[in-house]
Amino acid sequence: MREEIFLGNGAVALGLVEAGCQVVTSYPGTPSSEILPEVVRLVKSEGLNTYVEWSTNEKVALDNAYAAAISGKRAACCMKQVGLNVAADSLMSAAYIGTTGALVIISCDDPGPHSSQTEQDTRLMARLAKVPVLDPSNPEEARDMVKFALDLSEEFKVPVILRPAIRVCHARQNLSWDTLENNEKKASFEKDPGRWAATPRFRLVLHGQLNEKLRKIAKKFDGLTAYNFHDLEPGKKYPLGIIAGGVPYSVVRDILDEEGRKDIPLLKIGTPYPFPDGLALEFMAACEKVIVIEETDTVIEYFLRDREKVLGRLSGHVPSEGELVPQVIYGLISKVLENLNLKPFAGNGDREAFELVQSLDLPIRKPTLCPGCPHRASFFAIRKARPKAIFTSDIGCYTLGLNLGAVDTCLDMGAAITLASGFYHSFDQDQVKQPIVATIGDSTFFHSGTSGLLNAVYNDARFILVILDNAITAMTGMQPTPGLGIRADGSKGNAIPLEKVVAGCGVDFIEVIDPYDIKATTKLIKKANEYVNDPNGGIAVIIARHPCVIAYREEAIPQPIKVTVTEDCEECNLCLDRFECPALFKDEELERVAVNQALCTGCGVCLQICPKGAIVEA
Amino acid sequence: METINFVLSGLGGQGVLFMTKILARAALNKGLKVMGAETHGMAQRGGSVVSHLRLGDVKSSLVRTDSAHFLLALEENEAYRNIPFLAKKGRMYASASENSFPRQEVRPYLEKIGVISRSVPAADMAMDLGAPMSINLALLGFFSAFKEGPVGHDEFRATIDQVSPDRFKEINLKVFDAGFEKGSKENR
C-alpha cells in the first residue's frame, strides 16, 4: 500500500486503471485535462498496457472509446462539459445501441464558471441521452464511482456518465493504493448489423430496450446505499431536511457537522439519473420542508414529486447561477432556518469583511497573455495592419487577445472560422467590404477548424485566417497537438503539418511567419488582405508560428535580450494598453514605463512597438 | 484533531500551487488527512490564484469565509483580497514590505477579530538570492519560524528536499532557509 496526495482527476485516473479500463481517450479542457496524463503516469509507473490517446476532439474521443466498448473491452473517454456538446451526436446514438463491454464517459462540470463558456449541467445531458449518471462528491468517491460506472455499464450494456465538478477534479486528497494489474480481456466484435447499424425501425426497438434497462437501473439505484443515503432516525419527523448531491453534498455535510446540527437530516443523491425515487419519497415523507442543493442546474429538484415541500432554485431559495461555494450554502441554509423559526447557524456572516475588501479598491487581476507569448506579437501586428476589422477568435489562451483589442468574438471551438465566413456573407449581401481577421490556435484548428474552413472556401467567403501555431495546447496545461506528432504517452506519432491540412481545405494562399517579427507580420497581413480583396483571390491563411514560451522556453527565446525604457517615454500607454506585457508597468516615481526584470523573458518583441523608440536594449 | 484551514493566495505564475503542494505533502508525512482545492486554467495566466487546504477529517475541499486559521499570501493585495476567509484569531502572512503591512484601513477589522499579521519582503529576498520565482519558499520559511502551524520547520525542509526537482533543490532550500532566518530573528 502506498499513500499519495492525488488531484481529483488523478483519483479518477486511479479508479480507471484499478478497474482494468483498457482504453482511455480524451480531448483536454479545464477542468478535465489532467485525467489522461494521470492515467499515463500510472500506466508508466505500473508497466500497464492501457491504450491512451489525445483525440482531435471529443466526438472523436467518444467514438474511439465506444469502438472498444463494443469489442467487449472496458473503455473511458474524458472531456469537459462543453466537450460533451461536441460528442453529443455520438452519445445519443450510443445510448440506444449500447455496449458489449463497458464505456464510462467522464464529463467534468465547471460551476462558476471558472474556465468555460457556460455553466451547463452534464446531468441534464445524461437525462437527454437517457444514460445513467453518477455525481461524485469528492476525489475518493470519484475513484470509487468510476469503477462502479464500468461495472454498471458492463452489467446493463449501456454507456454511463461520471460527472465530477471542478471541486472534485481540482481538489487534492490523500489516497492509499496498491499494485495495479493489466486487464487481459481480448477484443472481439460480433457482427450484428441490426444493432450496430440499426435503421430507424430498429431504433424504436433499441429505444424500448434502453427504457427497460433504465427501469432496472432505477430500481438498483434506489437501494444503492453506497451513493444514495440519508441519516433519518426511524419514525422521527423533521421540520426541515436537506437533499444534496455532488460537491454541494460534501459542503453541506461538513457544515452540519461543524455546526453540530443533528436535527437536520441530509439525503445524498449520488445517482441523479435514473432518479432513486423511492428513497427520495421516504425522505420527503419525514420532512415538512426540504432544501435542494445541487450544481449547477435543477435536476434533483425537478424529480421531486411533492413540490409544496421543496425549497430550491425554482422557489428562489438557491442561486440559479454561480458556484455554490461554502459561504453561499451556509448563508442560504441559515436564512431558511430563520424563516422557519428554527435555530440559526452560529456564524455571524462575512459581510463586514467583504465590504472592507470592496472599499480597498484592489486591482482587478484579469488574466493576461504571459510575458514573451507569441500570440501578443501576432495580435499587435493584426491590429496594426487591419485596425478596422472584425476580429473573430476562438477558445484558448489567445482568447486573452480581448485585452489587446484584437478579439471581438469567442463562441465555441472552431467558431473563429465559421463566424468569419458568416460575417463575410452578411456584409457582402449588402455590398459592404467588411475586413475580417480570424484567429485560432493550432490545437483548436485541428479540433474543429477544418470543417468550417472547408465550408468557407466552398462558399467563397473572404477573410484572413491567422492560425496561432505555438506547437502545444497551452491553456489546458501543455498537451501535444497532431501538428507535433507526439502522442499522449510521449511516444512518437505522425506529425501532420498545418500547411497540408489548410491546403487540403482548398486554400491557395498559405504563408508561414514568425510573429516575433512584427514588421514582417504586419506586412504579410497587408499582402493577405490584397489577396482577400482580389476578385480572383480567396481566403488567406497565415500560420503565425513560434513556440509557446511556457512549454519551450529555450527554443522560444534562444537569446534573451535585456530591455529597458529610456527618458524618451512620454507615457502614451500604447505599450501598456495595446501590448499589455505583464513585464511592462508604469513606474510612478520615474513617471514613465519601466521593465519588471523578474517577469521579463527577454523576447525583445517590445523593442519594435514604442512609437517614440523609448524601449531599447539595455 | 480539529480541522485546520489554510488559504494560500498570489498571482498566476507565482507558485501558489507549489507552496500548497509542499504544505500538503508535509502534512501527509505527519499522518494528517489532506483535502485541498486549486485554481487551474485561464486564471493561471496572471490572474488571482487561490488555493485552499484543509487538514483533518473533512469531506469538502473549499474553506468557508470566516474559517481560515492561516492566510499565506505571495502578494500584498492578494492578502487583502482574501481577508474574508480569516477566522477569528487567524494568522495572516504575506510577502510585503515590513513597514507598511497591513495597510491602515484593514487594521481595525483585523484587531477586532484578533488576527495577527506578519510580513516579510520575500520578493526582495528571493531576488537577492538570484531566484526571483521563489517568493513562495521564502514565505514558507518565514512562516515556519513562528511554530504556529501543524507542520514544523524541519518537516517543511525535508518535504522541500523531497519534492523539489533536482536542479532547483539547492536554491529552493537556500531561499527557504533565508525566510526561516528572517522569521527566527523576529520570533526571538
Side-chain angles (χ1 to χ4, degrees):
Chain A
M1 278 298 217
R2 284 161 278 188
E3 187 153 50
E4 198 181 316
I5 300 171
F6 277 88
L7 192 65
N9 282 338
V12 170
L14 181 61
L16 285 173
V17 284
E18 282 176 328
C21 190
Q22 296 159 288
V23 170
V24 188
T25 64
S26 180
Y27 184 82
T30 310
S32 73
S33 311
E34 300 83 4
I35 299 173
L36 192 74
E38 284 286 282
V39 170
V40 170
R41 183 173 70 87
L42 292 165
V43 162
K44 283 190 171 172
S45 80
E46 302 303 295
L48 304 178
N49 65 3
T50 316
Y51 174 79
V52 290
E53 78 168 37
W54 284 123
S55 310
T56 45
N57 69 32
E58 294 85 355
K59 179 216 150 30
V60 173
L62 180 44
D63 289 350
N64 274 277
Y66 182 65
I70 62 173
S71 307
K73 293 202 165 190
R74 293 193 146 205
C77 70
C78 323
M79 59 195 69
K80 68 182 296 176
Q81 90 286 36
V82 292
L84 191 55
N85 300 342
V86 177
D89 205 7
S90 288
L91 172 67
M92 304 293 151
S93 184
Y96 274 39
I97 304 175
T99 65
T100 55
L103 176 65
V104 57
I105 296 148
I106 299 160
S107 171
C108 304
D109 280 1
D110 183 14
H114 293 265
S115 206
S116 301
Q117 305 94 294
T118 72
E119 290 192 297
Q120 67 186 72
D121 190 328
T122 290
R123 298 175 304 162
L124 289 170
M125 284 290 269
R127 173 65 192 81
L128 178 62
K130 294 189 147 185
V131 297
V133 59
L134 308 171
D135 189 10
S137 59
N138 59 37
E140 190 175 19
E141 192 178 39
R143 170 201 188 179
D144 197 65
M145 274 185 173
V146 82
K147 292 185 240 178
F148 174 78
L150 285 164
D151 289 343
L152 186 76
S153 175
E154 212 162 61
E155 181 183 350
F156 291 94
K157 313 295 181 207
V158 66
V160 175
I161 295 181
L162 180 81
R163 181 291 284 255
I166 192 163
R167 296 303 174 188
V168 171
C169 298
H170 291 165
R172 281 203 187 264
Q173 188 174 14
N174 58 299
L175 301 172
S176 320
W177 58 293
D178 220 329
T179 323
L180 302 169
E181 279 171 22
N182 278 328
N183 179 352
E184 300 297 347
K185 186 90 188 275
K186 301 294 177 218
S188 83
F189 176 72
E190 275 182 46
K191 292 197 180 199
D192 180 5
R195 182 176 175 196
W196 309 125
T199 53
R201 193 154 68 89
F202 291 104
R203 292 281 167 164
L204 179 67
V205 177
L206 289 171
H207 191 185
Q209 289 173 359
L210 176 60
N211 287 332
E212 185 52 30
K213 289 175 189 176
L214 287 171
R215 271 191 286 276
K216 286 183 184 149
I217 294 169
K219 205 169 275 174
K220 188 181 177 96
F221 282 0
D222 245 340
L224 189 66
T225 52
Y227 304 137
N228 302 320
F229 52 82
H230 58 62
D231 53 1
L232 291 176
E233 283 177 39
K236 199 170 162 186
K237 296 283 174 197
Y238 299 84
L240 178 71
I242 299 176
I243 303 179
V247 172
Y249 163 78
S250 294
V251 174
V252 173
R253 184 71 273 162
D254 279 348
I255 289 175
L256 293 178
D257 289 348
E258 281 157 19
E259 294 282 320
R261 296 302 291 263
K262 295 200 186 313
D263 60 320
I264 308 173
L266 174 59
L267 168 63
K268 176 187 189 289
I269 303 286
T271 64
Y273 181 76
F275 191 67
D277 201 33
L279 190 71
L281 282 172
E282 182 183 302
F283 188 82
M284 296 282 280
C287 302
E288 275 175 48
K289 292 278 180 194
V290 293
I291 316 178
V292 180
I293 307 179
E294 58 185 326
E295 277 181 333
T296 52
D297 217 306
T298 44
V299 173
I300 297 172
E301 193 173 344
Y302 277 143
F303 280 123
L304 295 173
R305 298 197 209 172
D306 193 347
R307 313 231 49 96
E308 294 295 308
K309 286 187 174 182
V310 178
L311 311 176
R313 291 205 163 92
L314 301 175
S315 62
H317 290 85
V318 177
S320 290
E321 59 279 318
E323 186 179 7
L324 294 178
V325 291
Q327 52 271 26
V328 169
I329 292 179
Y330 190 89
L332 78 87
I333 300 174
S334 207
K335 204 167 159 193
V336 170
L337 288 170
E338 260 174 61
N339 290 346
L340 295 177
N341 289 320
L342 299 168
K343 186 182 143 200
F345 284 160
N348 48 12
D350 44 30
R351 184 165 302 239
E352 187 185 346
F354 272 119
E355 281 171 5
L356 172 67
V357 171
Q358 209 124 68
S359 75
L360 297 177
D361 256 336
L362 298 175
I364 296 162
R365 308 281 192 197
K366 49 181 185 187
T368 177
L369 295 168
C370 305
C373 177
H375 301 336
R376 174 177 291 106
S378 295
F379 284 129
F380 190 85
I382 289 168
R383 256 204 72 112
K384 202 168 167 197
R386 305 299 299 145
K388 300 235 166 78
I390 295 176
F391 302 113
T392 60
S393 192
D394 227 294
I395 313 274
C397 289
Y398 48 91
T399 310
L400 297 171
L402 272 170
N403 302 350
L404 307 176
V407 169
D408 291 321
T409 69
C410 170
L411 180 68
D412 63 12
M413 294 287 279
I417 298 169
T418 41
L419 289 187
S421 59
F423 278 130
Y424 170 78
H425 292 300
S426 297
F427 284 92
D428 182 58
Q429 190 171 43
D430 309 339
Q431 285 86 46
V432 174
K433 275 204 186 316
Q434 170 62 49
I436 300 161
V437 183
T439 46
I440 190 168
D442 46 342
S443 186
T444 306
F445 180 75
F446 283 115
H447 177 288
S448 29
T450 49
S451 48
L453 187 54
L454 284 167
N455 173 68
V457 172
Y458 164 51
N459 288 300
D460 198 24
R462 300 298 181 91
F463 55 89
I464 300 171
L465 169 64
V466 182
I467 303 180
L468 304 165
D469 180 11
N470 60 355
I472 203 87
T473 317
M475 174 66 85
T476 49
M478 312 299 162
Q479 295 80 14
T481 72
L484 204 60
I486 293 171
R487 300 170 72 196
D489 59 358
S491 66
K492 198 181 160 302
N494 299 305
I496 302 161
L498 277 171
E499 296 88 318
K500 280 195 181 176
V501 180
V502 173
C505 290
V507 174
D508 292 326
F509 183 107
I510 307 166
E511 298 267 358
V512 181
I513 189 110
D514 181 347
Y516 265 27
D517 187 342
I518 287 184
K519 202 171 162 191
T521 309
T522 311
K523 209 171 136 194
L524 180 58
I525 295 166
K526 287 181 177 162
K527 182 180 150 196
N529 186 54
E530 282 167 25
Y531 179 76
V532 166
N533 287 324
D534 186 330
N536 298 317
I539 290 168
V541 174
I542 294 171
I543 299 173
R545 181 167 286 156
H546 196 101
C548 169
V549 280
I550 303 295
Y552 317 98
R553 178 64 172 264
E554 272 155 34
E555 282 173 74
I557 306 170
Q559 286 165 322
I561 302 165
K562 194 164 183 204
V563 175
T564 189
V565 182
T566 67
E567 285 172 2
D568 294 339
C569 170
E570 291 181 359
E571 295 188 79
C572 71
N573 289 349
L574 181 106
C575 61
L576 301 179
D577 298 339
R578 286 273 168 260
F579 196 64
E580 206 203 41
C581 177
L584 293 173
F585 68 103
K586 179 77 73 67
D587 190 322
E588 302 293 348
E589 268 172 42
L590 290 175
E591 291 187 343
R592 64 171 186 247
V593 171
V595 180
N596 179 339
Q597 297 295 350
L599 293 178
C600 180
T601 56
C603 71
V605 175
C606 60
L607 295 170
Q608 307 166 61
I609 62 158
C610 178
K612 298 289 164 198
I615 305 179
V616 297
E617 272 195 67
Chain B
M1 190 193 90
E2 280 279 295
T3 305
I4 301 173
N5 294 326
F6 285 84
V7 170
L8 304 100
S9 65
L11 298 175
Q14 276 195 316
V16 172
L17 295 191
F18 188 63
M19 181 165 69
T20 313
K21 184 177 173 182
I22 293 166
L23 192 51
R25 184 70 222 188
L28 180 69
N29 289 348
K30 276 201 89 168
L32 299 175
K33 283 191 170 181
V34 174
M35 184 74 96
E38 298 179 350
T39 311
H40 288 225
M42 189 177 264
Q44 280 181 300
R45 303 280 175 267
S48 299
V49 171
V50 185
S51 84
H52 294 200
L53 186 66
R54 313 187 69 198
L55 307 178
D57 200 5
V58 292
K59 293 204 154 36
S60 59
S61 62
L62 286 177
V63 174
R64 182 160 51 85
T65 51
D66 286 335
S67 312
H69 302 95
F70 298 99
L71 167 58
L72 270 56
L74 297 177
E75 199 268 351
E76 185 170 353
N77 285 322
E78 298 310 310
Y80 301 140
R81 206 186 297 282
N82 291 292
I83 283 176
F85 284 103
L86 278 165
K88 285 196 183 77
K89 300 200 172 84
R91 295 285 183 272
M92 173 161 76
Y93 289 84
S95 164
S97 147
E98 291 161 288
N99 305 323
S100 56
F101 183 85
R103 64 195 263 190
Q104 213 55 42
E105 301 96 307
V106 304
R107 289 186 183 186
Y109 175 78
L110 295 176
E111 264 166 45
K112 192 176 92 179
I113 65 166
V115 166
I116 294 176
S117 345
R118 298 192 177 100
S119 62
V120 57
D124 296 343
M125 292 173 66
M127 185 67 115
D128 290 346
L129 290 168
M133 301 314 282
S134 299
I135 301 171
N136 49 2
L137 292 158
L139 185 72
L140 262 191
F142 180 74
F143 169 68
S144 74
F146 293 89
K147 303 187 176 88
E148 286 179 328
V151 179
H153 168 265
D154 296 350
E155 292 147 345
F156 271 128
R157 207 171 187 286
T159 307
I160 293 168
D161 190 60
Q162 179 189 1
V163 304
S164 295
D166 281 339
R167 61 197 175 110
F168 295 124
K169 193 168 281 185
E170 195 183 329
I171 186 70
N172 280 356
L173 289 169
K174 203 164 136 190
V175 178
F176 175 78
D177 289 343
F180 175 71
E181 268 170 46
K182 181 93 174 106
S184 301
K185 275 182 203 151
E186 284 182 32
N187 196 28
R188 259 186 213 144

